[in-house]
Amino acid sequence: MLNDLLNGSWVVVAGDSQARLLVQSLLSLLLDEKRMGMIMGDLFKRHSDYKIVVDEIGMKLDFVWAPYVVNLTNLMVGFKQNRTYPDVLVIGAGLWHMLHVNNASDFDIALENLRSSVVSLLPFSPELGTDGPVTGSVSVRSPHLFWLGMPTLINAMLNTEEKREKMNDKIWHAYYGALHNSRILRSYGGPLLLLDIQSLSWNCGPRCTNDGMHYDGTVYEAAVHILLNALLIESHQKLGSTEF
């Protein structure tokens, strides 16, 4: 099923270290242990991008280091300018903004700008339609869009005093509220389906993390399976819509 769903696809995952861990879990399903061991050093180079082609299924995967929402917005602008769009797009941010900006209202505004940029990529968007013909290098398929949620933060386990002060429960919930207020999520009328790392990490609990922020592979593997199930459902819906 996995090979069929991602065969010939261009997958882009953009965000912070949570997104990098999701990439690791996805690739672990596609590559054998030996090849995973060979790529881990490059995949986990600090604050860097990573690209790989899985030749067996013709899948190209790009990880883009984009820890702030503005980085994600710039990525969307680049897609539109280049008229090349991934088949599967997973984006997420929040932890770096929480630590280094620490202003949920500012985060909300940034998300609203991102939402507009994501919507402009969709084939039915008037912006895309008036930008030129939807032929040639412009994809007429709607990309599969996902938002990678922030994890549950276990404050006492965070590894610096600054993190424990700025990433407390009150601030986390303010950021979580900003995410919902921005209407970027599909459940609130937006374009992105939530991969709910908060719930998955909460269920796994303190035994699954060493630093209160990054969790064991089981959490991100579960998120990958949710993503794949969503792709499967959407592919069946498209097939059904072509039947009379």
Side-chain angles (χ1 to χ4, degrees):
M1 180 188 77
L2 173 61
N3 289 357
D4 291 337
L5 286 172
L6 297 179
N7 184 49
S9 294
W10 178 25
V11 178
V12 175
V13 181
D16 54 23
S17 54
Q18 301 292 316
R20 201 185 296 272
L21 288 167
L22 184 85
V23 169
Q24 179 188 3
S25 291
L26 175 58
L27 290 177
S28 294
L29 294 177
L30 294 167
L31 306 177
D32 59 35
E33 186 175 345
K34 180 179 179 181
R35 191 171 180 196
M36 279 302 299
M38 293 172 60
I39 70 170
M40 287 295 284
D42 288 334
L43 176 57
F44 280 91
K45 280 184 180 177
R46 187 173 175 83
H47 302 170
S48 65
D49 298 344
Y50 178 77
K51 299 177 183 290
I52 189 172
V53 175
V54 181
D55 293 320
E56 294 82 356
I57 60 171
M59 186 197 83
K60 180 174 71 170
L61 186 147
D62 292 352
F63 168 74
V64 181
W65 173 250
Y68 293 103
V69 173
V70 66
N71 303 136
L72 300 175
T73 303
N74 291 338
L75 182 65
M76 303 306 110
V77 171
F79 288 146
K80 188 172 182 183
Q81 289 176 341
N82 296 328
R83 299 193 176 194
T84 56
Y85 308 104
D87 301 292
V88 179
L89 176 65
V90 183
I91 59 177
L95 295 178
W96 275 58
H97 196 288
M98 192 184 302
L99 180 61
H100 298 293
V101 181
N102 206 243
N103 186 316
S105 296
D106 182 90
F107 185 61
D108 191 344
I109 293 169
L111 286 171
E112 290 176 5
N113 291 334
L114 174 61
R115 182 186 188 277
S116 297
S117 295
V118 173
V119 168
S120 76
L121 301 182
L122 301 179
F124 53 78
S125 166
E127 285 187 53
L128 185 60
T130 57
D131 224 17
V134 287
T135 58
S137 62
V138 178
S139 171
V140 297
R141 292 183 298 170
S142 177
H144 302 281
L145 304 171
F146 298 89
W147 178 263
L148 187 65
M150 294 186 298
T152 298
L153 298 178
I154 303 175
N155 191 264
M157 297 181 69
L158 299 179
N159 55 20
T160 70
E161 181 58 37
E162 183 182 19
K163 288 178 181 177
R164 290 189 290 273
E165 177 185 346
K166 293 183 176 180
M167 306 176 86
N168 58 54
D169 288 346
K170 182 178 179 180
I171 295 295
W172 189 96
H173 283 288
Y175 271 70
Y176 190 77
L179 174 65
H180 290 271
N181 291 339
S182 70
R183 298 184 299 113
I184 199 170
L185 298 180
R186 191 180 299 180
S187 55
Y188 289 85
L192 297 163
L193 182 66
L194 176 64
L195 300 176
D196 195 354
I197 297 295
Q198 187 269 335
S199 294
L200 295 172
S201 54
W202 173 267
N203 289 332
C204 205
R207 71 183 183 280
C208 293
T209 177
N210 292 321
D211 63 2
M213 180 183 298
H214 303 97
Y215 284 78
D216 293 347
T218 52
V219 168
Y220 306 99
E221 289 164 11
V224 168
H225 283 290
I226 293 169
L227 181 152
L228 294 173
N229 285 335
L231 294 181
L232 181 62
I233 291 169
E234 290 183 8
S235 66
H236 284 172
Q237 288 173 341
K238 289 178 181 178
L239 286 173
S241 67
T242 63
E243 296 173 358
F244 296 92

